[in-house]
Amino acid sequence: MTEQTEKFEFKAEINQLLDILVHSLYTNREIFLRELVSNASDALDKMRFEINRDPALDDEIESQISISYNEEAKTITVADTGIGMTKEEVMANIGTIAHSGSAEFIKQAADTNESLDSLIGRFGVGFYSAYMVSDKVVVRTKSFKKDAPAIQWTSDGKTNYELTILDEEMTHGTSIEIFLKEDMVKRFGSEDTLKGIVSKHSNFVSFPIMIGGERVNTVTALWREPKFQIKQEQYEEFYKFLTYDPKPPISTLHFSVDAPVQFNSLLFVPEKDLDIFGMDRDNWGIDLYVRRVLIEHQNKNMLPEYLSFIKGVVDTEDLPLNISRETLQDNLLIGKIRSTMTKQVLSQLEKIAKDDPETYAKFWKAHAKIFKAGHQDFLNKDKYANLLRFDSSKSDGETFVSFDDYIERVKDEQKEIYYAFVASREAANLNPHLEIFRNKDIEVLYLYEPIDEFVMESLREHKEFALVSAEYADLEKLDKFESAKKENEATPLSEEQAKDMDALAAKMKEVLGEQVAEVKISERLSDSPCRLISPNGAMTSSMEKIMKVMNKDSSVPTKTMEINADHPLLRSMLEIFKVNADDEFIELSSRQLLESALLLEGYLNDPHALVGRIQNLLTKAGGWYAELEKKD
């Protein structure tokens, strides 16, 4: 047979359309290889489909994709042993822009009630991405159909193409030869480069991809395999391949969903925060695949950021993409996948917390800082709250407790969960706001990080228990609980002494001036001489500090000072005040109490005056003590 060549005009405004495809549709030029491999995988799937339908077609030709680079000709060739094309199919599928052979084939399969879910291409333009890197493409193809001749398609991607009926023997399949542009030879002109691109984008295509006689895609797409067939060692190996983390994950989550969106997912919870130095915070996200082909590395829409410690992949059958596959088209479906995956992850964490508290403690230690940012996930509020852990006045500082742990220990008629922001457990023992809770043996959750305040403000309650800052706890609710008896309790003030104490408070306000809103007698303090509270009670001291930092406000807020009328220091001040209301000791002590309280609250910017005052008081006290010793 003599070779016959015909010229055909493209059936579209090819100059304009190819310019859009090549320069606007794809942002990453290496995508051309992914598209061609995906098309080759489609062709192999179609061939397998036809063999299943008619076993007589099975000619035992191995199903595979071969990629090679010819250094002399500067060409890349992608070949498959798939279904091939007839002349008419070539003209229809690649002679007409945006005609999707795969989409048409799926439609035909649907008409016969058969399935081709593994087909990748749906838009018929991926082939043209080859022109991003080439100025000429030659396609040689032979259909599986009996007596169909081999066809050659040649075009520079401008105005026309040539079709040649080849007078040569050829097995069914297709080869695409890409003549690289001069400026693309250095970038893509090596088999090592091609291997890297395939490993990145097409590593999980189900057919062997051969480059230089070596199979490149050796890792199995575990997420597509039945769970009961997979061993734990396989999960761990896949996790190491994905993350390069030498330690196995705390937990593995492998699930398939059919509705409302069909997808498979394989997720892992690392044992440690992989961002060791906090310098790589943006390095997170789930790898998004469509039918085993990577669409986006580290997609940040699959899970909320507070679950960004999760590593893994999601592979969907249903996700509509725009024609480049690089930009997600339908955010509604992405939202459904995100919602389902978030619930699955939180449920898995709940299961770990319930069945293996020790493992969950490892998780919390590694990922708590990130996880706490989920306080704004109102759709999953209950699941999120169940997973929170805190240090507590009832724990040993090593074991963290949940809200439910707290609720199990509440006193009868207690309907509040109390919390306090503290710098450390040692600071909590000095915190005047917590004295009444120690005296009444009421548990308090300790918050150490600024985000903890936002967590409590967002949640506000848990299982009908209000979350209440210890700083502003309702005294009437606390009074119903019995206080522990103290040794050497102060003698109650007489009516006259109470009036003098009120006068002392007024004097202290006079001394401190605008530094305090007022000075008043406390109904809560028992051990500390004083405490500071916001006069309006609108927000806790810690939240107030956070807001000041956010607003770059370094000023010291004006607080109300509550003084403990039963404290020995205040009783000594009272005795001196009764003798001489203007005694220097009253002023020194007032200022010292205020600055000590500011220091405990974290507001004291300049401690020099406080240190000098302490030295002055120690000097005087030392003199008084020495005189007493002489008398003894």
Side-chain angles (χ1 to χ4, degrees), residues 22-51:
V22 172
H23 297 106
S24 302
L25 186 61
Y26 295 92
T27 57
N28 184 359
R29 291 185 184 272
E30 69 182 30
I31 294 300
F32 83 92
L33 191 57
R34 181 191 76 182
E35 294 296 327
L36 296 183
V37 169
S38 297
N39 289 343
S41 177
D42 285 353
L44 291 165
D45 263 322
K46 291 173 182 178
M47 189 65 209
R48 185 164 57 185
F49 173 78
E50 291 293 348
I51 291 172

mmCIF file of all heavy atoms in Angstrom, residues 22-51:
data_model
loop_
_atom_site.group_PDB
_atom_site.id
_atom_site.type_symbol
_atom_site.label_atom_id
_atom_site.label_comp_id
_atom_site.label_asym_id
_atom_site.label_seq_id
_atom_site.Cartn_x
_atom_site.Cartn_y
_atom_site.Cartn_z
ATOM 1 N N VAL A 22 -1.993 27.320 25.283
ATOM 2 C CA VAL A 22 -0.569 27.212 25.566
ATOM 3 C C VAL A 22 -0.099 28.255 26.567
ATOM 4 O O VAL A 22 0.698 27.974 27.452
ATOM 5 C CB VAL A 22 0.244 27.324 24.258
ATOM 6 C CG1 VAL A 22 1.732 27.418 24.556
ATOM 7 C CG2 VAL A 22 -0.037 26.132 23.361
ATOM 8 N N HIS A 23 -0.630 29.488 26.472
ATOM 9 C CA HIS A 23 -0.093 30.568 27.294
ATOM 10 C C HIS A 23 -0.936 30.928 28.507
ATOM 11 O O HIS A 23 -0.434 31.548 29.441
ATOM 12 C CB HIS A 23 0.103 31.819 26.430
ATOM 13 C CG HIS A 23 1.099 31.638 25.338
ATOM 14 N ND1 HIS A 23 0.735 31.510 24.011
ATOM 15 C CD2 HIS A 23 2.445 31.523 25.354
ATOM 16 C CE1 HIS A 23 1.817 31.342 23.270
ATOM 17 N NE2 HIS A 23 2.873 31.349 24.065
ATOM 18 N N SER A 24 -2.203 30.575 28.504
ATOM 19 C CA SER A 24 -3.069 30.980 29.605
ATOM 20 C C SER A 24 -3.637 29.809 30.394
ATOM 21 O O SER A 24 -3.803 29.890 31.599
ATOM 22 C CB SER A 24 -4.231 31.834 29.070
ATOM 23 O OG SER A 24 -3.733 32.954 28.388
ATOM 24 N N LEU A 25 -3.917 28.720 29.716
ATOM 25 C CA LEU A 25 -4.622 27.623 30.370
ATOM 26 C C LEU A 25 -3.752 26.919 31.400
ATOM 27 O O LEU A 25 -4.185 26.594 32.489
ATOM 28 C CB LEU A 25 -5.100 26.628 29.314
ATOM 29 C CG LEU A 25 -5.974 25.481 29.801
ATOM 30 C CD1 LEU A 25 -7.248 26.022 30.426
ATOM 31 C CD2 LEU A 25 -6.298 24.552 28.657
ATOM 32 N N TYR A 26 -2.488 26.691 31.070
ATOM 33 C CA TYR A 26 -1.585 25.984 31.961
ATOM 34 C C TYR A 26 -0.526 26.942 32.483
ATOM 35 O O TYR A 26 0.121 27.644 31.719
ATOM 36 C CB TYR A 26 -0.893 24.824 31.238
ATOM 37 C CG TYR A 26 -1.835 23.731 30.801
ATOM 38 C CD1 TYR A 26 -2.410 23.747 29.534
ATOM 39 C CD2 TYR A 26 -2.157 22.689 31.660
ATOM 40 C CE1 TYR A 26 -3.264 22.740 29.133
ATOM 41 C CE2 TYR A 26 -3.017 21.676 31.269
ATOM 42 C CZ TYR A 26 -3.562 21.705 29.993
ATOM 43 O OH TYR A 26 -4.406 20.719 29.609
ATOM 44 N N THR A 27 -0.315 26.949 33.778
ATOM 45 C CA THR A 27 0.688 27.831 34.363
ATOM 46 C C THR A 27 2.014 27.124 34.569
ATOM 47 O O THR A 27 3.049 27.757 34.696
ATOM 48 C CB THR A 27 0.195 28.371 35.717
ATOM 49 O OG1 THR A 27 -0.109 27.249 36.579
ATOM 50 C CG2 THR A 27 -1.047 29.212 35.545
ATOM 51 N N ASN A 28 2.003 25.803 34.624
ATOM 52 C CA ASN A 28 3.211 25.023 34.858
ATOM 53 C C ASN A 28 3.483 24.171 33.622
ATOM 54 O O ASN A 28 2.732 23.253 33.311
ATOM 55 C CB ASN A 28 3.011 24.145 36.102
ATOM 56 C CG ASN A 28 4.264 23.386 36.456
ATOM 57 O OD1 ASN A 28 5.275 23.483 35.775
ATOM 58 N ND2 ASN A 28 4.196 22.619 37.537
ATOM 59 N N ARG A 29 4.556 24.437 32.916
ATOM 60 C CA ARG A 29 4.791 23.789 31.626
ATOM 61 C C ARG A 29 5.025 22.285 31.738
ATOM 62 O O ARG A 29 4.770 21.547 30.785
ATOM 63 C CB ARG A 29 5.959 24.468 30.907
ATOM 64 C CG ARG A 29 5.615 25.883 30.459
ATOM 65 C CD ARG A 29 6.744 26.504 29.648
ATOM 66 N NE ARG A 29 6.418 27.881 29.316
ATOM 67 C CZ ARG A 29 5.729 28.253 28.233
ATOM 68 N NH1 ARG A 29 5.286 27.343 27.402
ATOM 69 N NH2 ARG A 29 5.481 29.522 28.010
ATOM 70 N N GLU A 30 5.512 21.819 32.872
ATOM 71 C CA GLU A 30 5.746 20.379 33.006
ATOM 72 C C GLU A 30 4.451 19.576 33.010
ATOM 73 O O GLU A 30 4.462 18.349 32.862
ATOM 74 C CB GLU A 30 6.549 20.076 34.264
ATOM 75 C CG GLU A 30 5.807 20.305 35.560
ATOM 76 C CD GLU A 30 6.666 20.038 36.792
ATOM 77 O OE1 GLU A 30 7.902 20.229 36.720
ATOM 78 O OE2 GLU A 30 6.093 19.645 37.813
ATOM 79 N N ILE A 31 3.316 20.270 33.114
ATOM 80 C CA ILE A 31 2.015 19.603 33.106
ATOM 81 C C ILE A 31 1.777 18.841 31.799
ATOM 82 O O ILE A 31 1.018 17.884 31.767
ATOM 83 C CB ILE A 31 0.890 20.648 33.318
ATOM 84 C CG1 ILE A 31 0.983 21.244 34.717
ATOM 85 C CG2 ILE A 31 -0.489 20.034 33.127
ATOM 86 C CD1 ILE A 31 0.845 20.228 35.829
ATOM 87 N N PHE A 32 2.472 19.237 30.710
ATOM 88 C CA PHE A 32 2.236 18.564 29.421
ATOM 89 C C PHE A 32 2.450 17.065 29.544
ATOM 90 O O PHE A 32 1.717 16.258 28.961
ATOM 91 C CB PHE A 32 3.146 19.149 28.338
ATOM 92 C CG PHE A 32 4.542 18.568 28.321
ATOM 93 C CD1 PHE A 32 4.837 17.465 27.520
ATOM 94 C CD2 PHE A 32 5.553 19.109 29.107
ATOM 95 C CE1 PHE A 32 6.118 16.921 27.498
ATOM 96 C CE2 PHE A 32 6.828 18.571 29.086
ATOM 97 C CZ PHE A 32 7.109 17.474 28.290
ATOM 98 N N LEU A 33 3.453 16.653 30.327
ATOM 99 C CA LEU A 33 3.750 15.227 30.440
ATOM 100 C C LEU A 33 2.664 14.510 31.242
ATOM 101 O O LEU A 33 2.275 13.388 30.915
ATOM 102 C CB LEU A 33 5.121 15.024 31.082
ATOM 103 C CG LEU A 33 5.680 13.600 31.020
ATOM 104 C CD1 LEU A 33 5.760 13.098 29.585
ATOM 105 C CD2 LEU A 33 7.050 13.525 31.688
ATOM 106 N N ARG A 34 2.167 15.182 32.264
ATOM 107 C CA ARG A 34 1.054 14.602 33.030
ATOM 108 C C ARG A 34 -0.151 14.366 32.137
ATOM 109 O O ARG A 34 -0.805 13.321 32.201
ATOM 110 C CB ARG A 34 0.667 15.534 34.187
ATOM 111 C CG ARG A 34 -0.464 14.998 35.054
ATOM 112 C CD ARG A 34 -0.987 16.064 36.008
ATOM 113 N NE ARG A 34 -1.828 17.039 35.322
ATOM 114 C CZ ARG A 34 -2.366 18.093 35.923
ATOM 115 N NH1 ARG A 34 -2.125 18.316 37.203
ATOM 116 N NH2 ARG A 34 -3.117 18.939 35.245
ATOM 117 N N GLU A 35 -0.453 15.340 31.264
ATOM 118 C CA GLU A 35 -1.621 15.226 30.402
ATOM 119 C C GLU A 35 -1.468 14.082 29.399
ATOM 120 O O GLU A 35 -2.407 13.323 29.159
ATOM 121 C CB GLU A 35 -1.859 16.549 29.669
ATOM 122 C CG GLU A 35 -2.242 17.700 30.579
ATOM 123 C CD GLU A 35 -3.559 17.470 31.279
ATOM 124 O OE1 GLU A 35 -4.448 16.832 30.697
ATOM 125 O OE2 GLU A 35 -3.696 17.916 32.427
ATOM 126 N N LEU A 36 -0.277 13.963 28.837
ATOM 127 C CA LEU A 36 -0.057 12.901 27.850
ATOM 128 C C LEU A 36 -0.078 11.523 28.510
ATOM 129 O O LEU A 36 -0.592 10.556 27.938
ATOM 130 C CB LEU A 36 1.267 13.131 27.119
ATOM 131 C CG LEU A 36 1.349 14.411 26.278
ATOM 132 C CD1 LEU A 36 2.678 14.489 25.546
ATOM 133 C CD2 LEU A 36 0.188 14.512 25.292
ATOM 134 N N VAL A 37 0.497 11.417 29.717
ATOM 135 C CA VAL A 37 0.443 10.150 30.452
ATOM 136 C C VAL A 37 -1.000 9.810 30.806
ATOM 137 O O VAL A 37 -1.427 8.649 30.716
ATOM 138 C CB VAL A 37 1.322 10.222 31.720
ATOM 139 C CG1 VAL A 37 1.056 9.023 32.637
ATOM 140 C CG2 VAL A 37 2.798 10.277 31.349
ATOM 141 N N SER A 38 -1.786 10.808 31.203
ATOM 142 C CA SER A 38 -3.195 10.581 31.534
ATOM 143 C C SER A 38 -3.963 10.083 30.315
ATOM 144 O O SER A 38 -4.775 9.162 30.406
ATOM 145 C CB SER A 38 -3.829 11.865 32.065
ATOM 146 O OG SER A 38 -3.205 12.277 33.258
ATOM 147 N N ASN A 39 -3.690 10.681 29.146
ATOM 148 C CA ASN A 39 -4.349 10.239 27.920
ATOM 149 C C ASN A 39 -3.955 8.805 27.574
ATOM 150 O O ASN A 39 -4.777 7.999 27.125
ATOM 151 C CB ASN A 39 -3.992 11.168 26.757
ATOM 152 C CG ASN A 39 -4.656 12.539 26.901
ATOM 153 O OD1 ASN A 39 -5.597 12.700 27.668
ATOM 154 N ND2 ASN A 39 -4.147 13.514 26.169
ATOM 155 N N ALA A 40 -2.663 8.485 27.783
ATOM 156 C CA ALA A 40 -2.192 7.119 27.511
ATOM 157 C C ALA A 40 -2.863 6.134 28.460
ATOM 158 O O ALA A 40 -3.251 5.029 28.062
ATOM 159 C CB ALA A 40 -0.675 7.064 27.667
ATOM 160 N N SER A 41 -3.019 6.533 29.724
ATOM 161 C CA SER A 41 -3.702 5.671 30.694
ATOM 162 C C SER A 41 -5.147 5.443 30.289
ATOM 163 O O SER A 41 -5.678 4.326 30.399
ATOM 164 C CB SER A 41 -3.631 6.307 32.089
ATOM 165 O OG SER A 41 -4.332 5.543 33.036
ATOM 166 N N ASP A 42 -5.793 6.491 29.773
ATOM 167 C CA ASP A 42 -7.168 6.353 29.273
ATOM 168 C C ASP A 42 -7.238 5.319 28.154
ATOM 169 O O ASP A 42 -8.125 4.467 28.113
ATOM 170 C CB ASP A 42 -7.671 7.696 28.726
ATOM 171 C CG ASP A 42 -8.009 8.672 29.837
ATOM 172 O OD1 ASP A 42 -7.989 8.270 31.002
ATOM 173 O OD2 ASP A 42 -8.296 9.833 29.511
ATOM 174 N N ALA A 43 -6.281 5.418 27.223
ATOM 175 C CA ALA A 43 -6.271 4.512 26.075
ATOM 176 C C ALA A 43 -6.101 3.062 26.517
ATOM 177 O O ALA A 43 -6.732 2.146 25.969
ATOM 178 C CB ALA A 43 -5.153 4.908 25.111
ATOM 179 N N LEU A 44 -5.261 2.834 27.539
ATOM 180 C CA LEU A 44 -5.065 1.485 28.070
ATOM 181 C C LEU A 44 -6.310 0.986 28.773
ATOM 182 O O LEU A 44 -6.681 -0.195 28.674
ATOM 183 C CB LEU A 44 -3.863 1.473 29.017
ATOM 184 C CG LEU A 44 -2.495 1.667 28.330
ATOM 185 C CD1 LEU A 44 -1.430 1.998 29.358
ATOM 186 C CD2 LEU A 44 -2.109 0.422 27.536
ATOM 187 N N ASP A 45 -6.973 1.892 29.504
ATOM 188 C CA ASP A 45 -8.232 1.506 30.164
ATOM 189 C C ASP A 45 -9.309 1.151 29.147
ATOM 190 O O ASP A 45 -10.082 0.217 29.335
ATOM 191 C CB ASP A 45 -8.727 2.644 31.057
ATOM 192 C CG ASP A 45 -8.333 2.449 32.511
ATOM 193 O OD1 ASP A 45 -8.369 1.293 32.978
ATOM 194 O OD2 ASP A 45 -7.972 3.438 33.161
ATOM 195 N N LYS A 46 -9.342 1.906 28.071
ATOM 196 C CA LYS A 46 -10.329 1.621 27.027
ATOM 197 C C LYS A 46 -10.067 0.251 26.383
ATOM 198 O O LYS A 46 -11.006 -0.501 26.096
ATOM 199 C CB LYS A 46 -10.287 2.719 25.955
ATOM 200 C CG LYS A 46 -10.789 4.068 26.421
ATOM 201 C CD LYS A 46 -10.545 5.128 25.345
ATOM 202 C CE LYS A 46 -10.991 6.502 25.825
ATOM 203 N NZ LYS A 46 -10.728 7.546 24.815
ATOM 204 N N MET A 47 -8.782 -0.048 26.190
ATOM 205 C CA MET A 47 -8.441 -1.349 25.613
ATOM 206 C C MET A 47 -8.849 -2.477 26.554
ATOM 207 O O MET A 47 -9.400 -3.499 26.137
ATOM 208 C CB MET A 47 -6.935 -1.406 25.336
ATOM 209 C CG MET A 47 -6.517 -2.646 24.543
ATOM 210 S SD MET A 47 -7.226 -2.637 22.877
ATOM 211 C CE MET A 47 -7.367 -4.392 22.549
ATOM 212 N N ARG A 48 -8.595 -2.282 27.838
ATOM 213 C CA ARG A 48 -8.980 -3.296 28.830
ATOM 214 C C ARG A 48 -10.500 -3.477 28.845
ATOM 215 O O ARG A 48 -11.008 -4.583 28.977
ATOM 216 C CB ARG A 48 -8.467 -2.883 30.215
ATOM 217 C CG ARG A 48 -8.693 -3.911 31.293
ATOM 218 C CD ARG A 48 -7.834 -3.626 32.517
ATOM 219 N NE ARG A 48 -8.061 -2.303 33.069
ATOM 220 C CZ ARG A 48 -7.352 -1.802 34.083
ATOM 221 N NH1 ARG A 48 -6.364 -2.515 34.623
ATOM 222 N NH2 ARG A 48 -7.617 -0.603 34.550
ATOM 223 N N PHE A 49 -11.195 -2.367 28.687
ATOM 224 C CA PHE A 49 -12.661 -2.407 28.650
ATOM 225 C C PHE A 49 -13.149 -3.235 27.459
ATOM 226 O O PHE A 49 -14.038 -4.087 27.585
ATOM 227 C CB PHE A 49 -13.197 -0.976 28.568
ATOM 228 C CG PHE A 49 -14.678 -0.879 28.355
ATOM 229 C CD1 PHE A 49 -15.567 -1.070 29.400
ATOM 230 C CD2 PHE A 49 -15.187 -0.596 27.095
ATOM 231 C CE1 PHE A 49 -16.931 -0.969 29.203
ATOM 232 C CE2 PHE A 49 -16.551 -0.500 26.891
ATOM 233 C CZ PHE A 49 -17.431 -0.687 27.939
ATOM 234 N N GLU A 50 -12.527 -3.007 26.295
ATOM 235 C CA GLU A 50 -12.939 -3.742 25.097
ATOM 236 C C GLU A 50 -12.615 -5.235 25.227
ATOM 237 O O GLU A 50 -13.394 -6.093 24.784
ATOM 238 C CB GLU A 50 -12.246 -3.165 23.862
ATOM 239 C CG GLU A 50 -12.707 -1.766 23.481
ATOM 240 C CD GLU A 50 -14.157 -1.727 23.004
ATOM 241 O OE1 GLU A 50 -14.744 -2.795 22.760
ATOM 242 O OE2 GLU A 50 -14.708 -0.618 22.882
ATOM 243 N N ILE A 51 -11.490 -5.566 25.840
ATOM 244 C CA ILE A 51 -11.120 -6.974 26.033
ATOM 245 C C ILE A 51 -12.099 -7.658 26.973
ATOM 246 O O ILE A 51 -12.492 -8.811 26.769
ATOM 247 C CB ILE A 51 -9.674 -7.082 26.562
ATOM 248 C CG1 ILE A 51 -8.690 -6.664 25.465
ATOM 249 C CG2 ILE A 51 -9.375 -8.507 27.031
ATOM 250 C CD1 ILE A 51 -7.251 -6.550 25.943
#
